[in-house]
Coordinates of all heavy atoms in Angstrom, one line a residue:
M260 N 18.2 -13.7 -10.9 CA 17.5 -12.6 -10.3 C 17.8 -12.5 -8.8 O 17.8 -13.5 -8.1 CB 16.0 -12.9 -10.5 CG 15.1 -11.7 -10.2 SD 13.5 -11.9 -10.9 CE 12.5 -11.6 -9.5
R261 N 18.0 -11.2 -8.4 CA 18.3 -11.0 -7.0 C 17.0 -11.2 -6.2 O 15.9 -10.9 -6.5 CB 18.7 -9.5 -6.8 CG 20.2 -9.4 -6.7 CD 20.5 -7.9 -6.5 NE 19.6 -7.3 -5.6 CZ 19.8 -6.0 -5.2 NH1 20.8 -5.3 -5.7 NH2 19.0 -5.4 -4.4
R262 N 17.3 -11.8 -5.0 CA 16.1 -12.0 -4.1 C 15.9 -10.7 -3.3 O 16.9 -10.0 -3.0 CB 16.5 -13.1 -3.1 CG 16.6 -14.4 -3.9 CD 16.5 -15.6 -3.0 NE 15.2 -15.5 -2.3 CZ 14.6 -16.5 -1.8 NH1 15.1 -17.7 -1.8 NH2 13.4 -16.4 -1.2
H263 N 14.7 -10.4 -3.0 CA 14.4 -9.2 -2.2 C 13.3 -9.6 -1.2 O 12.6 -10.5 -1.4 CB 14.0 -8.1 -3.1 CG 12.8 -8.4 -4.0 ND1 13.0 -9.1 -5.2 CD2 11.5 -8.2 -3.8 CE1 11.8 -9.2 -5.7 NE2 10.9 -8.7 -4.9
A264 N 13.1 -8.7 -0.2 CA 12.1 -8.9 0.8 C 10.7 -8.6 0.2 O 10.5 -7.8 -0.6 CB 12.4 -8.0 2.0
F265 N 9.8 -9.4 0.7 CA 8.4 -9.2 0.3 C 7.8 -7.9 0.9 O 8.0 -7.7 2.1 CB 7.5 -10.4 0.7 CG 6.1 -10.2 0.4 CD1 5.6 -10.0 -0.8 CD2 5.2 -10.2 1.5 CE1 4.2 -9.9 -1.1 CE2 3.8 -10.0 1.3 CZ 3.3 -9.9 0.0
E266 N 7.3 -7.0 0.2 CA 6.7 -5.8 0.7 C 5.2 -5.8 0.5 O 4.7 -5.4 -0.6 CB 7.3 -4.6 -0.1 CG 8.8 -4.4 0.2 CD 9.1 -3.9 1.6 OE1 8.2 -3.4 2.2 OE2 10.2 -4.2 2.0
P267 N 4.4 -6.1 1.5 CA 3.0 -6.2 1.3 C 2.4 -4.8 1.0 O 1.3 -4.7 0.4 CB 2.5 -6.7 2.7 CG 3.7 -7.0 3.5 CD 4.9 -6.6 2.8
A268 N 3.0 -3.7 1.5 CA 2.4 -2.4 1.3 C 2.4 -2.1 -0.2 O 1.5 -1.5 -0.8 CB 3.2 -1.3 2.0
R269 N 3.5 -2.5 -0.9 CA 3.5 -2.2 -2.4 C 2.5 -3.0 -3.1 O 1.9 -2.5 -4.0 CB 4.9 -2.6 -2.9 CG 6.0 -1.6 -2.5 CD 7.3 -2.0 -3.1 NE 8.3 -1.0 -2.6 CZ 9.6 -1.1 -3.1 NH1 9.9 -1.9 -4.0 NH2 10.4 -0.2 -2.6
L270 N 2.3 -4.3 -2.7 CA 1.3 -5.1 -3.3 C -0.1 -4.5 -3.1 O -0.9 -4.4 -4.0 CB 1.3 -6.5 -2.8 CG 0.2 -7.4 -3.2 CD1 0.3 -7.7 -4.7 CD2 0.3 -8.7 -2.4
L271 N -0.4 -4.1 -1.9 CA -1.7 -3.5 -1.5 C -1.9 -2.2 -2.3 O -3.0 -2.0 -2.8 CB -1.7 -3.2 0.0 CG -3.0 -2.8 0.6 CD1 -4.1 -3.9 0.3 CD2 -2.9 -2.6 2.1
L272 N -0.9 -1.3 -2.4 CA -1.1 -0.1 -3.1 C -1.3 -0.3 -4.6 O -2.2 0.3 -5.2 CB 0.1 0.8 -2.9 CG 0.1 2.2 -3.6 CD1 -1.1 3.0 -3.1 CD2 1.3 2.9 -3.4
G273 N -0.6 -1.3 -5.1 CA -0.8 -1.6 -6.6 C -2.2 -2.1 -6.8 O -2.8 -1.7 -7.8
L274 N -2.7 -3.0 -6.0 CA -4.0 -3.6 -6.2 C -5.1 -2.5 -6.0 O -6.0 -2.4 -6.7 CB -4.2 -4.7 -5.2 CG -3.5 -6.0 -5.4 CD1 -3.7 -7.0 -4.3 CD2 -3.8 -6.6 -6.8
A275 N -4.9 -1.6 -5.0 CA -5.8 -0.5 -4.8 C -5.9 0.4 -6.0 O -7.0 0.8 -6.4 CB -5.5 0.2 -3.5
L276 N -4.7 0.8 -6.5 CA -4.7 1.7 -7.7 C -5.3 1.0 -8.9 O -5.9 1.6 -9.8 CB -3.3 2.2 -7.9 CG -2.8 3.1 -6.8 CD1 -1.4 3.6 -7.2 CD2 -3.7 4.3 -6.6
L277 N -5.1 -0.3 -9.0 CA -5.7 -1.1 -10.2 C -7.2 -1.1 -10.1 O -7.9 -1.1 -11.1 CB -5.2 -2.5 -10.2 CG -3.8 -2.6 -10.9 CD1 -3.3 -4.1 -10.8 CD2 -3.8 -2.2 -12.3
V278 N -7.7 -1.1 -8.8 CA -9.2 -1.1 -8.6 C -9.7 0.4 -8.9 O -10.8 0.5 -9.4 CB -9.5 -1.5 -7.2 CG1 -11.0 -1.2 -6.9 CG2 -9.2 -3.0 -7.1
L279 N -8.9 1.4 -8.5 CA -9.4 2.7 -8.7 C -9.3 3.2 -10.1 O -10.1 4.1 -10.5 CB -8.5 3.7 -7.8 CG -8.7 3.5 -6.3 CD1 -7.7 4.5 -5.6 CD2 -10.1 3.8 -5.9
A280 N -8.4 2.7 -10.9 CA -8.3 3.2 -12.3 C -9.6 3.0 -13.1 O -10.0 4.0 -13.7 CB -7.2 2.4 -13.0
P281 N -10.3 1.9 -13.1 CA -11.6 1.8 -13.8 C -12.6 2.8 -13.2 O -13.5 3.3 -14.0 CB -12.0 0.4 -13.6 CG -10.8 -0.4 -13.2 CD -9.9 0.6 -12.6
V282 N -12.6 3.1 -11.9 CA -13.6 4.0 -11.3 C -13.4 5.4 -12.0 O -14.3 6.1 -12.4 CB -13.4 4.1 -9.8 CG1 -14.3 5.2 -9.2 CG2 -13.7 2.7 -9.2
Y283 N -12.1 5.8 -12.1 CA -11.8 7.1 -12.7 C -12.2 7.1 -14.2 O -12.8 8.1 -14.7 CB -10.3 7.5 -12.6 CG -10.0 8.1 -11.3 CD1 -9.6 7.3 -10.2 CD2 -10.1 9.5 -11.1 CE1 -9.3 7.9 -9.0 CE2 -9.9 10.1 -9.9 CZ -9.4 9.3 -8.8 OH -9.1 9.9 -7.6
V284 N -11.9 6.0 -14.9 CA -12.3 5.9 -16.3 C -13.8 6.0 -16.5 O -14.3 6.7 -17.4 CB -11.7 4.7 -17.0 CG1 -12.3 4.5 -18.4 CG2 -10.2 4.8 -17.0
L285 N -14.5 5.2 -15.7 CA -16.0 5.2 -15.8 C -16.6 6.6 -15.4 O -17.6 7.0 -16.0 CB -16.6 4.1 -14.9 CG -16.3 2.7 -15.4 CD1 -16.8 1.7 -14.3 CD2 -17.0 2.4 -16.7
A286 N -16.0 7.2 -14.5 CA -16.5 8.6 -14.1 C -16.2 9.6 -15.2 O -17.0 10.5 -15.5 CB -15.9 9.0 -12.8
A287 N -15.0 9.5 -15.8 CA -14.6 10.4 -16.9 C -15.5 10.2 -18.1 O -15.8 11.2 -18.8 CB -13.2 10.2 -17.2
T288 N -15.9 9.0 -18.4 CA -16.7 8.7 -19.6 C -18.2 9.0 -19.4 O -19.0 8.9 -20.3 CB -16.5 7.3 -20.1 OG1 -16.8 6.4 -19.1 CG2 -15.1 7.1 -20.6
G289 N -18.5 9.2 -18.1 CA -19.9 9.5 -17.8 C -20.8 8.2 -17.6 O -22.0 8.3 -17.5
R290 N -20.2 7.1 -17.6 CA -20.9 5.8 -17.4 C -21.3 5.5 -16.0 O -22.1 4.7 -15.7 CB -20.2 4.7 -18.0 CG -20.0 4.8 -19.5 CD -19.3 3.6 -20.0 NE -19.1 3.8 -21.5 CZ -18.6 2.9 -22.2 NH1 -18.3 1.7 -21.8 NH2 -18.4 3.2 -23.5
W291 N -20.6 6.2 -15.0 CA -20.8 6.0 -13.6 C -20.7 7.4 -13.0 O -19.7 8.1 -13.1 CB -19.8 5.0 -13.1 CG -20.2 4.5 -11.7 CD1 -21.4 4.5 -11.1 CD2 -19.3 3.9 -10.8 NE1 -21.3 3.9 -9.9 CE2 -20.1 3.5 -9.6 CE3 -18.0 3.6 -10.8 CZ2 -19.5 2.9 -8.6 CZ3 -17.4 2.9 -9.7 CH2 -18.2 2.6 -8.6
D292 N -21.8 7.8 -12.2 CA -21.8 9.1 -11.6 C -21.2 8.9 -10.2 O -21.9 8.5 -9.3 CB -23.2 9.6 -11.6 CG -23.3 11.0 -11.1 OD1 -22.3 11.7 -11.3 OD2 -24.3 11.4 -10.5
V293 N -20.0 9.3 -10.0 CA -19.3 9.3 -8.7 C -19.1 10.7 -8.3 O -18.5 11.5 -9.1 CB -17.9 8.5 -8.8 CG1 -17.3 8.5 -7.5 CG2 -18.1 7.2 -9.4
P294 N -19.5 11.1 -7.1 CA -19.3 12.5 -6.7 C -17.8 12.9 -6.6 O -17.0 12.0 -6.3 CB -19.9 12.5 -5.3 CG -20.8 11.3 -5.2 CD -20.3 10.3 -6.1
L295 N -17.5 14.1 -7.0 CA -16.2 14.6 -7.0 C -15.4 14.4 -5.7 O -14.3 14.0 -5.7 CB -16.1 16.0 -7.5 CG -14.7 16.6 -7.7 CD1 -14.0 15.8 -8.8 CD2 -14.8 18.1 -8.0
P296 N -16.0 14.7 -4.5 CA -15.3 14.5 -3.3 C -14.9 13.0 -3.0 O -13.8 12.8 -2.5 CB -16.3 15.0 -2.2 CG -17.2 15.9 -2.9 CD -17.3 15.4 -4.3
V297 N -15.7 12.1 -3.5 CA -15.4 10.7 -3.4 C -14.2 10.4 -4.2 O -13.2 9.7 -3.8 CB -16.6 9.8 -3.7 CG1 -16.2 8.4 -3.7 CG2 -17.7 10.0 -2.7
L298 N -14.2 10.9 -5.5 CA -13.1 10.6 -6.4 C -11.8 11.2 -5.9 O -10.7 10.5 -6.0 CB -13.4 11.2 -7.8 CG -14.3 10.4 -8.7 CD1 -14.5 11.2 -10.0 CD2 -13.6 9.1 -9.0
L299 N -11.9 12.4 -5.3 CA -10.6 13.0 -4.8 C -10.1 12.4 -3.6 O -8.9 12.6 -3.2 CB -10.9 14.5 -4.6 CG -11.2 15.3 -5.9 CD1 -11.4 16.8 -5.6 CD2 -10.0 15.2 -6.9
S300 N -10.9 11.6 -2.9 CA -10.4 11.0 -1.6 C -10.0 9.6 -1.8 O -9.4 9.0 -0.9 CB -11.5 11.1 -0.6 OG -12.6 10.3 -1.0
L301 N -10.2 9.0 -3.0 CA -9.9 7.6 -3.1 C -8.4 7.3 -3.2 O -7.9 6.4 -2.5 CB -10.5 7.0 -4.4 CG -12.0 6.9 -4.4 CD1 -12.6 6.4 -5.7 CD2 -12.5 5.9 -3.3
V302 N -7.6 8.1 -3.9 CA -6.2 7.9 -3.9 C -5.5 8.2 -2.6 O -4.7 7.3 -2.2 CB -5.5 8.7 -5.1 CG1 -4.0 8.6 -5.0 CG2 -6.0 8.2 -6.4
P303 N -5.8 9.3 -1.9 CA -5.2 9.4 -0.6 C -5.6 8.3 0.4 O -4.8 7.9 1.2 CB -5.7 10.8 -0.1 CG -6.0 11.5 -1.3 CD -6.5 10.5 -2.3
A304 N -6.8 7.8 0.2 CA -7.2 6.7 1.1 C -6.4 5.4 0.8 O -6.0 4.7 1.7 CB -8.7 6.4 0.9
A305 N -6.1 5.2 -0.5 CA -5.3 4.1 -0.9 C -3.8 4.2 -0.3 O -3.2 3.3 0.1 CB -5.3 3.9 -2.4
L306 N -3.3 5.5 -0.4 CA -2.0 5.7 0.1 C -1.9 5.6 1.6 O -0.9 5.0 2.2 CB -1.5 7.1 -0.3 CG -1.2 7.4 -1.8 CD1 -1.1 8.8 -2.0 CD2 0.0 6.6 -2.2
L307 N -3.0 6.0 2.3 CA -3.0 5.8 3.8 C -3.1 4.3 4.1 O -2.4 3.9 5.1 CB -4.2 6.6 4.3 CG -4.4 6.5 5.8 CD1 -3.3 7.2 6.5 CD2 -5.7 7.2 6.2
L308 N -3.9 3.6 3.4 CA -3.9 2.1 3.6 C -2.6 1.5 3.4 O -2.2 0.6 4.3 CB -5.0 1.5 2.7 CG -5.3 0.1 2.8 CD1 -5.9 -0.2 4.2 CD2 -6.2 -0.4 1.7
A309 N -1.9 1.8 2.4 CA -0.6 1.3 2.1 C 0.4 1.7 3.2 O 1.3 0.9 3.6 CB -0.1 1.7 0.7
G310 N 0.3 2.9 3.7 CA 1.2 3.4 4.7 C 1.0 2.7 6.0 O 1.9 2.3 6.7
M311 N -0.3 2.4 6.3 CA -0.5 1.6 7.5 C 0.0 0.2 7.4 O 0.5 -0.4 8.3 CB -2.0 1.6 7.8 CG -2.5 2.9 8.3 SD -4.3 3.1 8.8 CE -5.1 1.8 7.9
A312 N -0.1 -0.4 6.2 CA 0.4 -1.7 6.0 C 2.0 -1.7 6.1 O 2.6 -2.6 6.6 CB 0.0 -2.3 4.6
R313 N 2.6 -0.7 5.6 CA 4.0 -0.5 5.7 C 4.5 -0.4 7.1 O 5.5 -1.0 7.6 CB 4.5 0.7 4.9 CG 6.0 0.9 5.0 CD 6.8 -0.2 4.4 NE 8.2 0.0 4.6 CZ 9.0 -0.8 5.3 NH1 8.6 -1.9 5.7 NH2 10.3 -0.5 5.4
A314 N 3.7 0.4 7.9 CA 4.1 0.5 9.3 C 3.9 -0.8 10.1 O 4.8 -1.2 10.9 CB 3.2 1.6 10.0
G315 N 2.9 -1.5 9.8 CA 2.7 -2.8 10.4 C 3.8 -3.8 10.0 O 4.3 -4.5 10.9
T316 N 4.2 -3.8 8.8 CA 5.3 -4.7 8.3 C 6.6 -4.3 9.0 O 7.3 -5.1 9.5 CB 5.5 -4.5 6.8 OG1 4.2 -4.9 6.2 CG2 6.6 -5.5 6.3
Y317 N 6.8 -3.0 9.1 CA 8.1 -2.5 9.8 C 8.1 -3.0 11.2 O 9.1 -3.5 11.7 CB 8.1 -1.0 9.7 CG 9.3 -0.4 10.5 CD1 10.6 -0.5 9.9 CD2 9.1 0.2 11.7 CE1 11.7 0.1 10.6 CE2 10.2 0.7 12.4 CZ 11.5 0.7 11.9 OH 12.5 1.2 12.5
F318 N 7.0 -2.7 12.0 CA 7.0 -3.1 13.4 C 7.1 -4.6 13.6 O 7.7 -5.1 14.5 CB 5.8 -2.5 14.1 CG 6.0 -1.0 14.3 CD1 5.0 -0.1 13.7 CD2 7.1 -0.4 14.9 CE1 5.2 1.2 13.9 CE2 7.2 0.9 15.1 CZ 6.3 1.8 14.5
A319 N 6.4 -5.4 12.7 CA 6.5 -6.8 12.8 C 7.9 -7.3 12.6 O 8.4 -8.2 13.3 CB 5.5 -7.5 11.8
R320 N 8.6 -6.7 11.6 CA 10.0 -7.1 11.3 C 10.9 -6.7 12.4 O 11.8 -7.5 12.8 CB 10.4 -6.6 10.0 CG 9.8 -7.3 8.8 CD 10.3 -6.8 7.5 NE 9.6 -7.5 6.5 CZ 9.6 -7.2 5.2 NH1 10.3 -6.2 4.8 NH2 8.9 -7.9 4.3
C321 N 10.7 -5.5 13.0 CA 11.5 -5.1 14.2 C 11.3 -6.0 15.4 O 12.3 -6.4 16.0 CB 11.2 -3.7 14.6 SG 11.8 -2.4 13.5
A322 N 10.1 -6.4 15.6 CA 9.8 -7.3 16.7 C 10.4 -8.7 16.5 O 11.0 -9.3 17.4 CB 8.3 -7.5 16.9
A323 N 10.4 -9.2 15.3 CA 11.0 -10.5 14.9 C 12.5 -10.4 15.1 O 13.1 -11.3 15.6 CB 10.6 -10.9 13.5
R324 N 13.1 -9.3 14.7 CA 14.5 -9.1 14.8 C 14.9 -9.1 16.2 O 16.0 -9.6 16.6 CB 15.0 -7.9 14.0 CG 16.5 -7.7 13.9 CD 16.9 -6.6 13.1 NE 16.4 -6.7 11.7 CZ 15.6 -5.9 11.0 NH1 15.2 -4.8 11.7 NH2 15.3 -6.1 9.8
A325 N 14.1 -8.4 17.1 CA 14.4 -8.3 18.5 C 14.3 -9.6 19.2 O 15.1 -10.0 20.1 CB 13.5 -7.3 19.1
R326 N 13.3 -10.4 18.8 CA 13.2 -11.8 19.4 C 14.4 -12.7 19.0 O 14.8 -13.5 19.8 CB 11.9 -12.4 18.9 CG 10.7 -12.0 19.7 CD 9.5 -12.9 19.4 NE 9.2 -13.0 18.0 CZ 8.3 -12.2 17.3 NH1 7.7 -11.2 18.0 NH2 8.1 -12.3 16.0
R327 N 14.9 -12.5 17.8 CA 16.1 -13.3 17.4 C 17.3 -12.8 18.0 O 18.4 -13.4 17.9 CB 16.2 -13.2 15.8 CG 15.2 -14.0 15.1 CD 15.6 -14.2 13.6 NE 16.0 -12.9 13.0 CZ 15.2 -12.2 12.2 NH1 14.0 -12.6 11.9 NH2 15.6 -11.1 11.7
G328 N 17.3 -11.6 18.7 CA 18.5 -11.1 19.3 C 19.3 -10.3 18.4 O 20.6 -10.5 18.4
G329 N 18.7 -9.5 17.5 CA 19.5 -8.7 16.6 C 20.5 -7.7 17.3 O 20.2 -7.2 18.4
A330 N 21.7 -7.6 16.7 CA 22.7 -6.8 17.3 C 22.4 -5.3 17.4 O 22.9 -4.6 18.3 CB 24.0 -6.9 16.5
D331 N 21.5 -4.8 16.6 CA 21.2 -3.4 16.6 C 20.0 -3.0 17.4 O 19.4 -1.9 17.3 CB 21.0 -2.9 15.1 CG 19.9 -3.6 14.4 OD1 19.3 -4.6 15.0 OD2 19.6 -3.3 13.3
G332 N 19.5 -3.9 18.2 CA 18.4 -3.6 19.1 C 17.0 -3.7 18.5 O 16.1 -3.1 19.0
G333 N 17.0 -4.2 17.3 CA 15.7 -4.3 16.6 C 15.4 -3.2 15.6 O 14.3 -3.2 15.1
H334 N 16.3 -2.3 15.4 CA 16.1 -1.2 14.4 C 16.7 -1.5 13.1 O 17.9 -1.8 13.1 CB 16.6 0.1 15.0 CG 15.8 0.5 16.2 ND1 14.5 1.0 16.2 CD2 16.2 0.5 17.5 CE1 14.1 1.3 17.4 NE2 15.1 1.0 18.2
A335 N 16.0 -1.3 12.0 CA 16.5 -1.5 10.7 C 17.3 -0.3 10.3 O 17.0 0.8 10.7 CB 15.4 -1.7 9.7
P336 N 18.4 -0.5 9.5 CA 19.2 0.7 9.0 C 18.4 1.5 8.1 O 17.5 1.2 7.5 CB 20.4 0.0 8.3 CG 20.0 -1.4 8.1 CD 18.9 -1.7 9.0

């Protein structure tokens, strides 16, 4: 199996969507009364959270590469 870099944003998004799925199911079956604006804002909030995690990971890796003296000045291709 090929090795690949750990992507915390993907893990965070997957976990957030796994948590949100039962909320949508419970709301659809009527077992939990969740207001519609809350339901509609949960997925974009999860995407925003994952985007912030991705940006943090990117900048942390750029800073680490710059400290190691990367030839490209710390920017990933």
Side-chain angles (χ1 to χ4, degrees):
M260 187 165 132
R261 262 181 38 176
R262 295 197 60 156
H263 58 277
F265 174 63
E266 294 290 339
R269 288 183 182 186
L270 175 65
L271 187 61
L272 182 60
L274 290 174
L276 293 178
L277 282 174
V278 169
L279 293 178
V282 173
Y283 277 93
V284 170
L285 289 173
T288 58
R290 295 184 184 186
W291 194 17
D292 187 28
V293 181
L295 184 62
V297 172
L298 277 177
L299 294 177
S300 65
L301 290 176
V302 172
L306 289 170
L307 182 64
L308 183 66
M311 291 185 332
R313 177 64 184 122
T316 303
Y317 174 78
F318 288 121
R320 288 183 180 168
C321 283
R324 189 175 295 122
R326 279 193 304 269
R327 285 193 311 259
D331 59 357
H334 295 287

